[in-house]
mmCIF file of all heavy atoms in Angstrom:
data_model
loop_
_atom_site.group_PDB
_atom_site.id
_atom_site.type_symbol
_atom_site.label_atom_id
_atom_site.label_comp_id
_atom_site.label_asym_id
_atom_site.label_seq_id
_atom_site.Cartn_x
_atom_site.Cartn_y
_atom_site.Cartn_z
ATOM 1 N N LEU A 75 -20.121 64.564 -35.766
ATOM 2 C CA LEU A 75 -20.822 63.482 -35.091
ATOM 3 C C LEU A 75 -22.333 63.664 -35.207
ATOM 4 O O LEU A 75 -23.056 62.728 -35.559
ATOM 5 C CB LEU A 75 -20.403 63.413 -33.619
ATOM 6 C CG LEU A 75 -21.053 62.328 -32.777
ATOM 7 C CD1 LEU A 75 -20.633 60.956 -33.277
ATOM 8 C CD2 LEU A 75 -20.666 62.499 -31.320
ATOM 9 N N ILE A 76 -22.796 64.873 -34.942
ATOM 10 C CA ILE A 76 -24.231 65.161 -35.053
ATOM 11 C C ILE A 76 -24.704 64.950 -36.485
ATOM 12 O O ILE A 76 -25.736 64.328 -36.729
ATOM 13 C CB ILE A 76 -24.529 66.602 -34.577
ATOM 14 C CG1 ILE A 76 -24.310 66.707 -33.064
ATOM 15 C CG2 ILE A 76 -25.959 67.000 -34.928
ATOM 16 C CD1 ILE A 76 -24.318 68.129 -32.541
ATOM 17 N N ARG A 77 -23.945 65.469 -37.451
ATOM 18 C CA ARG A 77 -24.328 65.319 -38.856
ATOM 19 C C ARG A 77 -24.379 63.849 -39.271
ATOM 20 O O ARG A 77 -25.294 63.424 -39.984
ATOM 21 C CB ARG A 77 -23.362 66.090 -39.756
ATOM 22 C CG ARG A 77 -23.893 66.180 -41.183
ATOM 23 C CD ARG A 77 -22.982 66.944 -42.055
ATOM 24 N NE ARG A 77 -21.868 66.055 -42.365
ATOM 25 C CZ ARG A 77 -20.815 66.395 -43.058
ATOM 26 N NH1 ARG A 77 -20.689 67.609 -43.517
ATOM 27 N NH2 ARG A 77 -19.861 65.544 -43.306
ATOM 28 N N ASP A 78 -23.423 63.054 -38.813
ATOM 29 C CA ASP A 78 -23.410 61.628 -39.146
ATOM 30 C C ASP A 78 -24.654 60.924 -38.614
ATOM 31 O O ASP A 78 -25.276 60.135 -39.325
ATOM 32 C CB ASP A 78 -22.137 60.982 -38.584
ATOM 33 C CG ASP A 78 -22.028 59.524 -38.970
ATOM 34 O OD1 ASP A 78 -22.143 59.219 -40.176
ATOM 35 O OD2 ASP A 78 -21.861 58.686 -38.052
ATOM 36 N N ILE A 79 -25.024 61.226 -37.377
ATOM 37 C CA ILE A 79 -26.212 60.609 -36.781
ATOM 38 C C ILE A 79 -27.474 61.018 -37.547
ATOM 39 O O ILE A 79 -28.314 60.177 -37.883
ATOM 40 C CB ILE A 79 -26.333 61.001 -35.290
ATOM 41 C CG1 ILE A 79 -25.210 60.355 -34.478
ATOM 42 C CG2 ILE A 79 -27.692 60.602 -34.727
ATOM 43 C CD1 ILE A 79 -25.065 60.896 -33.067
ATOM 44 N N VAL A 80 -27.590 62.299 -37.855
ATOM 45 C CA VAL A 80 -28.754 62.803 -38.581
ATOM 46 C C VAL A 80 -28.838 62.158 -39.966
ATOM 47 O O VAL A 80 -29.902 61.685 -40.383
ATOM 48 C CB VAL A 80 -28.705 64.353 -38.701
ATOM 49 C CG1 VAL A 80 -29.722 64.872 -39.693
ATOM 50 C CG2 VAL A 80 -28.909 64.989 -37.330
ATOM 51 N N GLU A 81 -27.727 62.114 -40.677
ATOM 52 C CA GLU A 81 -27.721 61.549 -42.030
ATOM 53 C C GLU A 81 -28.098 60.066 -42.028
ATOM 54 O O GLU A 81 -28.870 59.619 -42.875
ATOM 55 C CB GLU A 81 -26.350 61.749 -42.698
ATOM 56 C CG GLU A 81 -26.022 63.188 -43.021
ATOM 57 C CD GLU A 81 -26.928 63.802 -44.078
ATOM 58 O OE1 GLU A 81 -27.450 63.082 -44.946
ATOM 59 O OE2 GLU A 81 -27.111 65.026 -44.030
ATOM 60 N N ARG A 82 -27.551 59.299 -41.088
ATOM 61 C CA ARG A 82 -27.872 57.867 -41.028
ATOM 62 C C ARG A 82 -29.359 57.641 -40.758
ATOM 63 O O ARG A 82 -29.992 56.795 -41.388
ATOM 64 C CB ARG A 82 -27.036 57.155 -39.960
ATOM 65 C CG ARG A 82 -25.647 56.802 -40.433
ATOM 66 C CD ARG A 82 -24.883 55.953 -39.438
ATOM 67 N NE ARG A 82 -24.476 56.794 -38.308
ATOM 68 C CZ ARG A 82 -24.767 56.537 -37.036
ATOM 69 N NH1 ARG A 82 -25.446 55.478 -36.717
ATOM 70 N NH2 ARG A 82 -24.364 57.345 -36.076
ATOM 71 N N ASN A 83 -29.915 58.407 -39.830
ATOM 72 C CA ASN A 83 -31.339 58.252 -39.515
ATOM 73 C C ASN A 83 -32.221 58.680 -40.680
ATOM 74 O O ASN A 83 -33.211 58.006 -40.988
ATOM 75 C CB ASN A 83 -31.701 59.026 -38.242
ATOM 76 C CG ASN A 83 -31.198 58.335 -37.001
ATOM 77 O OD1 ASN A 83 -31.433 57.155 -36.799
ATOM 78 N ND2 ASN A 83 -30.495 59.064 -36.163
ATOM 79 N N CYS A 84 -31.884 59.777 -41.324
ATOM 80 C CA CYS A 84 -32.652 60.226 -42.489
ATOM 81 C C CYS A 84 -32.551 59.223 -43.638
ATOM 82 O O CYS A 84 -33.549 58.916 -44.293
ATOM 83 C CB CYS A 84 -32.179 61.602 -42.950
ATOM 84 S SG CYS A 84 -32.628 62.936 -41.834
ATOM 85 N N ASP A 85 -31.351 58.708 -43.882
ATOM 86 C CA ASP A 85 -31.164 57.725 -44.953
ATOM 87 C C ASP A 85 -31.989 56.466 -44.715
ATOM 88 O O ASP A 85 -32.571 55.912 -45.651
ATOM 89 C CB ASP A 85 -29.688 57.361 -45.104
ATOM 90 C CG ASP A 85 -28.864 58.485 -45.713
ATOM 91 O OD1 ASP A 85 -29.463 59.458 -46.227
ATOM 92 O OD2 ASP A 85 -27.615 58.390 -45.656
ATOM 93 N N SER A 86 -32.050 56.008 -43.467
ATOM 94 C CA SER A 86 -32.815 54.787 -43.191
ATOM 95 C C SER A 86 -34.304 55.013 -43.419
ATOM 96 O O SER A 86 -34.998 54.145 -43.959
ATOM 97 C CB SER A 86 -32.551 54.272 -41.776
ATOM 98 O OG SER A 86 -33.155 55.092 -40.807
ATOM 99 N N LYS A 87 -34.817 56.187 -43.049
ATOM 100 C CA LYS A 87 -36.235 56.503 -43.289
ATOM 101 C C LYS A 87 -36.517 56.631 -44.784
ATOM 102 O O LYS A 87 -37.528 56.126 -45.278
ATOM 103 C CB LYS A 87 -36.627 57.802 -42.579
ATOM 104 C CG LYS A 87 -36.645 57.715 -41.087
ATOM 105 C CD LYS A 87 -37.809 56.903 -40.606
ATOM 106 C CE LYS A 87 -37.917 56.990 -39.088
ATOM 107 N NZ LYS A 87 -38.981 56.160 -38.577
ATOM 108 N N GLU A 88 -35.625 57.287 -45.510
ATOM 109 C CA GLU A 88 -35.815 57.435 -46.951
ATOM 110 C C GLU A 88 -35.769 56.074 -47.656
ATOM 111 O O GLU A 88 -36.527 55.827 -48.591
ATOM 112 C CB GLU A 88 -34.760 58.365 -47.540
ATOM 113 C CG GLU A 88 -34.991 59.824 -47.201
ATOM 114 C CD GLU A 88 -33.912 60.740 -47.740
ATOM 115 O OE1 GLU A 88 -32.759 60.282 -47.945
ATOM 116 O OE2 GLU A 88 -34.217 61.911 -47.966
ATOM 117 N N GLU A 89 -34.891 55.190 -47.208
ATOM 118 C CA GLU A 89 -34.811 53.854 -47.798
ATOM 119 C C GLU A 89 -36.093 53.069 -47.542
ATOM 120 O O GLU A 89 -36.567 52.335 -48.410
ATOM 121 C CB GLU A 89 -33.593 53.104 -47.253
ATOM 122 C CG GLU A 89 -33.372 51.759 -47.887
ATOM 123 C CD GLU A 89 -33.177 51.807 -49.391
ATOM 124 O OE1 GLU A 89 -32.595 52.791 -49.902
ATOM 125 O OE2 GLU A 89 -33.625 50.870 -50.077
ATOM 126 N N GLU A 90 -36.646 53.225 -46.356
ATOM 127 C CA GLU A 90 -37.911 52.556 -46.035
ATOM 128 C C GLU A 90 -39.027 53.047 -46.961
ATOM 129 O O GLU A 90 -39.821 52.251 -47.472
ATOM 130 C CB GLU A 90 -38.266 52.814 -44.571
ATOM 131 C CG GLU A 90 -39.409 51.988 -44.063
ATOM 132 C CD GLU A 90 -39.666 52.182 -42.577
ATOM 133 O OE1 GLU A 90 -38.844 52.817 -41.879
ATOM 134 O OE2 GLU A 90 -40.706 51.707 -42.120
#
Side-chain angles (χ1 to χ4, degrees):
L75 180 65
I76 291 169
R77 191 179 77 184
D78 183 52
I79 292 168
V80 168
E81 292 294 332
R82 279 187 286 125
N83 285 309
C84 289
D85 288 348
S86 72
K87 291 288 188 183
E88 286 178 334
E89 185 59 34
E90 190 175 350

